Amino acid sequence: MSALQAALMAALEAVPARVFDAPPVRGAVPYIVVEEPVLARWGGAGIDGREGRVVVSLHDAGERPVRLRALVAAVEAESAVLSGDIGEGWRVVALRLVRSRIVRSGGERWTGHVEFSVKLYREG
């Protein structure tokens, strides 16, 4: 859902890393990718709803993931305020942190994943 991705990208503009909606072909680290959400339908009479998960991936390099830890914390904090109208008639009902983790992704590369549970609707 492009509206949710765009809203998350806008919310993360304050984080000191470039934000993309897909992995960049050439991107210097650190950078953030707001991945495609995985959503299922929910709702009732007159309500078109979706609920599911969205993952924000962070990529960095270094001997230790010190900077990446700070970026993960910033993503968690900046995303927490996302609610209400996000465009195209959609409204976020709830965005909740499910988990975050940091893993070594080869050599001195590190990847962080911040996963959120999301519930949104559009009145029909």
Side-chain angles (χ1 to χ4, degrees):
M1 160 168 304
S2 61
L4 179 58
Q5 250 184 325
L8 273 169
M9 290 176 67
L12 298 178
E13 285 181 357
V15 177
R18 288 173 301 145
V19 182
F20 300 95
D21 62 356
V25 175
R26 286 178 279 219
V29 292
Y31 66 88
I32 299 169
V33 177
V34 178
E35 298 182 12
E36 285 285 333
V38 177
L39 302 171
R41 293 182 63 89
W42 73 270
I47 296 176
D48 182 18
R50 304 284 187 279
E51 67 180 330
R53 303 282 174 102
V54 61
V55 175
V56 177
S57 297
L58 301 92
H59 303 268
D60 200 6
E63 189 174 316
R64 295 180 14 225
V66 175
R67 180 171 60 177
L68 190 59
R69 284 188 194 114
L71 290 173
V72 165
V75 165
E76 290 174 2
E78 295 297 328
S79 299
V81 299
L82 184 64
S83 67
D85 184 20
I86 60 169
E88 299 176 19
W90 290 98
R91 296 187 62 81
V92 172
V93 176
L95 184 75
R96 182 178 59 84
L97 175 66
V98 175
R99 67 178 157 214
S100 61
R101 63 182 250 174
I102 295 174
V103 296
R104 185 181 293 271
S105 52
E108 290 190 358
R109 300 287 289 217
W110 296 90
T111 303
H113 300 283
V114 182
E115 183 175 352
F116 296 97
S117 156
V118 64
K119 197 172 217 179
L120 56 157
Y121 75 94
R122 178 170 51 186
E123 292 182 6

